[in-house]
Amino acid sequence: MATNTPPSTHRIPLTIITGFAGAGKTTLLLNLLPQLRTQNPGYKLALIKNEIGDLNVDTLLAASAEISGTRELLGDCICCTNIGQIESALAQLDVECGPDRIVIETSGSAEPLKLVLEVNRIAGVTGRYELDGVVSVVDAENWAGYADVSFTAELQARQTDLIVVNKWEGLGERAMDAFLDKLGDLDVGTPMAKSERGWVSMELLFGWDPKMARAWVNTDHGHEHADGEHEHGHKSEMECLSVTLTSTNPEASTDFVKLDSLLTTAPKDEVYRIKAVLYSRTSPKPSDGAQVNGQQSGRARYILNWSFGRRTWTHDDVNDSSAPVLRMSVFTAPYESNKWLKRIESGAYIALEGQHGGEGKLEVKRVQ
């Protein structure tokens, strides 16, 4: 294995996509690529693909779609025999293609929790990766059949941040109700979104890494890009709020105590994701409690990813005194955005830090 030191120092976000065989995991991934390319043509997405057996058809499909790098873990389930190979596969991709994000697509028999524990162990040991989210793809047409015979299929629906309902378009109203009842029997309260023939917005599935965040901040239509991606009708599964905080003081910073109250109290069945780029004099802590940027006390820029209750922070070296103090996108469940718009607009969660505030302006609007 190559021993080169990776050129980048930020943590690489990892997204786990799981689901029973044939649920549509690879299709979901292939539909994410054009969205990433539209936002940033140079974006590098890498894939670790686990297959039971020795035929890597799905990986060949992914490679043909210009994924920056792939690693196959063939023959056994990734959460059992192959779990020890994940660290070396991650390191190889890191050195060879310098990805902005790595997706781990499991076999149909994988148990997500085992994989999550291993990813968190690797992240803690190496300081190089962070888990951004776990997505489980469910085949609505066939769920009743394989959920009855496969305990793993139920685990995949339980041990996840988001359930993506695939292949529901051919179901009648009664069959769809029966599927939802069967899924509801698991009693997990996991957020759920329907795909449109395998298409789901990347805003829902992916948090921000530095490349995504910088492209977003540097555009004149930072928040509206999410709406533009959905002009073909992909709007019904989530709503989006755009939040901008500005100040007359170029050294203003965000009131971190108020922001933290939002991050610790937002229910994950109402608020799916929060993404922000902000200036703060307080060095934040992610969900694992590790201090970001040490004990730094001056004004610095940070990138926030809050995903279904889990938060990560990245220190960004950019310091632009002309930029807003905070820019944020809040992605909510359907029919929840108006309630959260009013709460954020009240100033209870987003405000300037008192002694460095200046005259501020908070703007909150729904963009999707």
Side-chain angles (χ1 to χ4, degrees):
M1 185 182 72
T3 58
N4 309 51
T5 299
S8 176
T9 57
H10 76 271
R11 290 186 174 225
I12 300 173
L14 307 178
T15 301
I16 297 172
I17 299 180
T18 187
F20 207 65
K25 301 185 294 293
T26 301
T27 300
L28 184 76
L29 177 61
L30 295 179
N31 282 328
L32 289 167
L33 287 171
Q35 300 179 59
L36 290 167
R37 295 284 189 266
T38 298
Q39 186 184 58
N40 192 323
Y43 195 85
K44 294 181 180 180
L45 182 70
L47 171 69
I48 294 176
K49 170 71 178 175
N50 177 220
E51 300 270 17
I52 300 296
D54 58 2
L55 185 62
N56 58 345
V57 173
D58 284 347
T59 308
L60 293 174
L61 280 173
S64 70
E66 299 182 355
I67 282 182
S68 297
T70 59
R71 282 290 174 274
E72 301 94 13
L73 302 181
L74 302 176
D76 293 290
C77 178
I78 196 170
C79 73
C80 302
T81 308
N82 274 334
I83 197 161
Q85 301 179 34
I86 298 172
E87 186 171 356
S88 61
L90 288 170
Q92 287 171 4
L93 288 172
D94 190 6
V95 170
E96 293 174 10
C97 64
D100 297 302
R101 175 180 300 270
I102 299 174
V103 171
I104 302 174
E105 183 185 338
T106 75
S107 70
S109 59
E111 297 178 19
L113 182 58
K114 292 181 180 179
L115 183 55
V116 167
L117 291 173
E118 176 64 5
V119 165
N120 285 336
R121 183 196 69 80
I122 295 169
V125 168
T126 65
R128 183 64 181 142
Y129 313 99
E130 63 187 16
L131 180 63
D132 182 43
V134 183
V135 178
S136 182
V137 184
V138 169
D139 174 357
E141 287 184 344
N142 300 299
W143 170 254
Y146 62 63
D148 282 340
V149 299
S150 172
F151 180 62
T152 301
E154 291 194 6
L155 288 179
Q156 289 170 349
R158 289 177 182 273
Q159 299 170 356
T160 187
D161 296 318
L162 174 71
I163 295 172
V164 173
V165 179
N166 216 11
K167 303 182 182 180
W168 59 272
E169 293 88 350
L171 298 181
E173 184 176 351
R174 181 173 296 180
M176 187 65 183
D177 287 344
F179 158 73
L180 292 174
D181 286 345
K182 189 76 175 178
L183 194 61
D185 288 344
L186 299 180
D187 193 27
V188 291
T190 305
M192 184 170 58
K194 290 190 293 185
S195 77
E196 186 171 314
R197 303 194 181 279
W199 191 102
V200 174
S201 170
M202 71 174 190
E203 300 288 358
L204 184 57
L205 267 58
F206 290 165
W208 278 342
D209 51 71
K211 183 175 284 189
M212 280 184 179
R214 288 172 187 170
W216 177 76
V217 165
N218 292 332
T219 177
D220 291 334
H221 305 285
H223 296 282
E224 283 72 14
H225 80 276
D227 194 40
E229 287 286 343
H230 297 76
E231 61 188 2
H232 300 294
H234 305 293
K235 291 188 176 182
S236 60
E237 293 308 308
M238 66 177 181
E239 298 169 355
C240 179
L241 299 176
S242 164
V243 184
T244 305
L245 178 65
T246 57
S247 173
T248 56
N249 181 357
E251 293 300 311
S253 60
T254 306
D255 186 325
F256 199 80
V257 173
K258 287 192 173 185
L259 175 61
D260 194 59
S261 69
L262 169 64
L263 304 181
T264 53
T265 61
K268 63 182 182 180
D269 58 340
E270 295 182 10
V271 179
Y272 290 165
R273 279 193 180 271
I274 301 172
K275 309 179 188 184
V277 177
L278 60 96
Y279 287 92
S280 173
R281 283 182 167 77
T282 301
S283 180
K285 293 182 180 180
S287 296
D288 63 9
Q291 194 89 35
V292 176
N293 201 25
Q295 297 299 317
Q296 179 270 343
S297 58
R299 184 178 188 264
R301 187 161 95 160
Y302 297 94
I303 300 167
L304 164 67
N305 279 302
W306 185 99
S307 172
F308 304 100
R310 182 193 303 112
R311 78 181 85 172
T312 60
W313 290 93
T314 303
H315 174 243
D316 195 3
D317 292 330
V318 175
N319 193 346
D320 181 359
S321 60
S322 65
V325 180
L326 173 144
R327 294 185 72 179
M328 174 183 285
S329 289
V330 180
F331 298 89
T332 75
Y335 312 112
E336 298 289 348
S337 63
N338 287 338
K339 174 173 67 179
W340 283 97
L341 184 150
K342 292 175 182 176
R343 290 179 178 178
I344 295 171
E345 224 173 23
S346 72
Y349 296 125
I350 305 296
L352 297 172
E353 188 181 31
Q355 62 185 35
H356 302 287
E359 184 177 343
K361 178 181 179 182
L362 175 63
E363 181 183 11
V364 187
K365 59 182 178 179
R366 179 175 170 182
V367 295
Q368 178 182 316

